[in-house]
Amino acid sequence: MDEDGMLKPFRQRQGLAAPGPDLGGWYDNGDDFDPDKNFHGFVPGHSFGQYLSGLARAYAVTGSKQTQEKVHRLVKAFGATVEPTGKFYVDYRLPGYTFDKTMCGLIDAHEFAGDPNAREVLRRSVDAALPHLPEKALSRVEMAARPHKSIANTWDETYTLAENFFLAYQRLADERYRDLGQRFIYHEYFDALAQDQNALPGKHAYSHVNALSSAMQSYLVLGDEKHLRAATNGLRMVNEQSYATGGWGPREAFVEPGKGLLGKSLNETRASFETPCGAYGHFKITRYLLRVTGDSRYGDSMERVLYNTVAGAKPTLADGTTFYYSDYNSDHGQKVYSKDKWPCCSGTFPQLAADYHISAYYRAADGIYVNLFVPSRVRWEQNGTHCELTQRTEYPRANSTTLMFNLARPETFTTYLRIPAWADGKTRVAINGKRVEEEVVPGKLLALRRPWKNGDRVEFEIGMPLRLEAVDGMNPNIVALMRGPIALFAVGDVPAKIRREQLLGAVTMAEGSEDWAVAGNSGKITLRPFAAIGDESYRLYQSVGAYEARRPYSVAKTTP
């Protein structure tokens, strides 16, 4: 990305020389924004902080000096645009939304890329933004009740600010950021969730999942169990109205439970899940909860979203063309790009891609958690002993993974294996070829504590049954076929109705293939994972009962 182009909206709004290209789309300054028709110039510079964050995290992953140098140049140049009155935010639609991302980028530049200017630029950025922020976190209803220039001005997300203020406090040890974190706690939302009241229906989906991470930071910094209950209950309520892919929020909003509205959405929208943004928010909250509670079901939830949503997203292109929504429409779904350049999902995607590396393993006081089954290597110190674990696997195409230990000397610690809740009785764990004596319980962590030595090998075979999952409780005959963590999408010519036993009789097309075949009444039906789908049309949910499904469709006749 052109650095002058990234900085241009800030320089222009400050009245500075602004060389470089206009990036276009949401990112430009512009005067033709229309919330009903045209999102050009919607939130100028909105995702700058996300790109900065993604670069800083990528440097932490790769050690690339070029990446680190780019972070340092961007922070220095951005700092030159920041002045005390916050001129940038004058007549700006979503000041909290954009400042939150800017703050995230600056604290990540400090933490992960060792930027020498980030701390001071953050301090001045806070001074510039505060006059343009409300006195507390405001819900969209509260914003709509106040005077506003247009409906778009009521879409600000000040209720997500607490997480990054608290992170700034933890990383920089400045009490000011702790106080600001407390100022922007979303009390109305968290209080309801803590009391197990479902506060989700009708709310903007991604930002309210993102707000759950603010609840977790509120808990970690302030120690109030109420905020932990809010995050725990909130994510449970999200999962209770999720699609089989783990995605949620049709048309970017949560539905009212118990009315079959998730099933109804299959015929009403192609905006089924805000994919990179939603996956980023989902990964964050599941990481927080997994680390605090040790409950392996959060790893299951993370895994489902990884493989069935963002792992199949089309790549962001150099001109800002971005994959935004996963489409689960019953007529047919298709992967298409957003019509707008540089939308929100263009910013979360690079952060999410860097964060894959912090989701596979977690430290425990007495060892290590193995959360995701991915080809990888992790190194850590255990009681002063250098430890290395290498994971070799073709999961989830294959149902097994092998962990190899390389230790400087024998060391006693615990290796925790996540046993997915969907795993069946064929699940086996062996160490150096001998089956373990510990009980393997689906939905729990298996704790393998023993003296480990160099060359030890853990072989983990996971039973992956085929099963059907209904879209919601009111539509039991609209189902998706699942194998382990993977949702299988029907592609090609798909009949209006398929029998349950036909779906459950699916077989792999060939050894090593990701395609599955179902024997339909008029020939084979092909199913494949979302990540293996290109431009072909597909259908996630199949009708297996009384529901009157859509007509069959032909790939050749469909258009995005």
Side-chain angles (χ1 to χ4, degrees), residues 1 37 468:
M1 293 178 68
K37 300 176 183 177
L468 301 177

Side-chain angles (χ1 to χ4, degrees), residues 265-277:
S265 76
L266 301 177
N267 296 324
E268 294 181 339
T269 185
R270 298 190 180 281
S272 303
F273 178 51
E274 193 179 358
T275 305
C277 283

Side-chain angles (χ1 to χ4, degrees), residues 1 9 21-29 32-33 37-48 50-51 97 315-324 336-347:
M1 293 178 68
D22 291 319
L23 294 186
W26 288 25
Y27 201 85
D28 279 351
N29 286 302
D32 57 342
F33 168 74
K37 300 176 183 177
N38 176 30
F39 269 63
H40 176 243
F42 172 35
V43 268
H46 69 106
S47 46
F48 172 82
Q50 292 174 306
Y51 305 135
Y97 174 90
T316 302
L317 305 183
D319 67 350
T321 300
T322 300
F323 183 80
Y324 198 129
V336 299
Y337 282 111
S338 170
K339 64 182 178 61
D340 296 306
K341 306 290 187 182
W342 305 112
C344 51
C345 284
S346 72

Side-chain angles (χ1 to χ4, degrees), residues 67 138 220 268 316 320 339 349 371 377 430 434 540 548 551:
T67 302
L138 296 178
L220 292 170
E268 294 181 339
T316 302
K339 64 182 178 61
F349 210 164
N371 181 47
R377 181 177 292 114
K434 182 180 179 181
L540 170 60
E548 186 63 29
R551 58 177 172 74

Side-chain angles (χ1 to χ4, degrees), residues 290 294-296 300 360-361 368-373 389 391 401-403 405 414-420 427-431 436 439-449 452 457-462:
L290 180 58
D295 189 332
S296 68
D300 291 359
Y361 303 96
I368 191 166
Y369 292 95
V370 180
N371 181 47
L372 297 180
F373 312 123
L389 184 159
Q391 191 173 176
T401 188
T402 299
L403 313 178
F405 288 89
T414 306
T415 300
Y416 294 91
L417 280 181
R418 178 175 59 85
I419 310 299
T427 300
R428 302 283 187 273
V429 179
I431 298 177
V436 301
E439 183 181 9
V440 178
V441 181
K444 300 289 185 181
L445 292 168
L446 174 64
L448 302 173
R449 183 168 181 81
W452 297 94
R457 183 181 73 256
V458 176
E459 295 161 327
F460 185 20
E461 181 179 348
I462 313 172

